[in-house]
Amino acid sequence: GAGVSQSPSNKVTEKGKDVELRCDPISGHTALYWYRQSLGQGLEFLIYFQGNSAPDKSGLPSDRFSAERTGGSVSTLTIQRTQQEDSAVYLCASSRRGGNSPLHFGNGTRLTVT
Amino acid sequence: EDQVTQSPEALRLQEGESSSLNCSYTVSGLRGLFWYRQDPGKGPEFLFTLYSAGEEKEKERLKATLTKKESFLHITAPKPEDSATYLCAVAGDTGFQKLVFGTGTRLLVSP
């Protein structure tokens, strides 16, 4: 079946511009996660959505970052006024029911801020 | 603060040469330890979850073990297709949604 789909796969933007990254989770999965993978660093948790519950935003690095999940499915991660340190691979994952359910990751969006 | 350290950073093996990857962790209230495999340009792919010391899980040529301080991923008679980066992650008191990942071990298996 179809896996987690992310778009675009690559994004180059100028410092100060806003960007939107999209994630289509696996159908039927109630939990959705955003992680960030920077060069030489481990994956870093950003935000978690589970069903209709309030999202866990505790990993967002600054108020320039925001995310929403519409209709319990597609999610968009928005970065406003991008900075060079935002350059990284942004990975989306979904899981069947949250908790200890295995995460299924997409292939990520590679963001480069020039 | 929860922390995961993986060693070695990189490992080169000949096909059929068995070895082990290490994941050392410090975590407040371990809920689970996870192993993922990541191929270049791809997202991580789930391999195993371990919950308590002494637990072992196997899948093909891979076996994961867990103690109170570390986990090992044993690779028996590896093949070139086992070449990938192997990531370890822990879930602690902050919950399963906030996995803390190590930086991974890059494994290259030569024919």
Side-chain angles (χ1 to χ4, degrees), chain B:
Chain B
E1 183 180 335
D2 299 345
Q3 202 163 10
V4 174
T5 303
Q6 292 188 246
S7 62
E9 287 187 12
L11 180 63
R12 295 187 72 140
L13 299 173
Q14 290 294 118
E15 185 171 1
E17 180 186 1
S18 301
S19 188
S20 296
L21 313 182
N22 178 265
C23 170
S24 297
Y25 64 89
T26 54
V27 64
S28 177
L30 180 71
R31 293 192 180 186
L33 184 141
F34 302 81
W35 282 99
Y36 284 84
R37 167 194 171 126
Q38 186 172 26
D39 293 297
K42 305 287 188 182
E45 175 187 347
F46 172 75
L47 293 173
F48 304 108
T49 309
L50 301 167
Y51 294 102
S52 58
E55 189 174 0
E56 298 183 354
K57 293 269 179 78
E58 282 190 70
K59 179 181 179 180
E60 296 181 356
R61 296 176 292 282
L62 300 177
K63 183 167 89 172
T65 61
L66 181 65
T67 73
K68 289 186 177 180
K69 294 183 179 180
E70 57 193 350
S71 176
F72 291 94
L73 185 65
H74 306 277
I75 304 178
T76 302
K79 298 182 177 182
E81 53 262 42
D82 294 322
S83 297
T85 296
Y86 290 85
L87 302 174
C88 173
V90 295
D93 282 344
T94 53
F96 282 102
Q97 73 275 15
K98 292 184 188 177
L99 297 182
V100 174
F101 282 83
T103 53
T105 293
R106 290 191 318 277
L107 174 66
L108 178 62
V109 182
S110 303

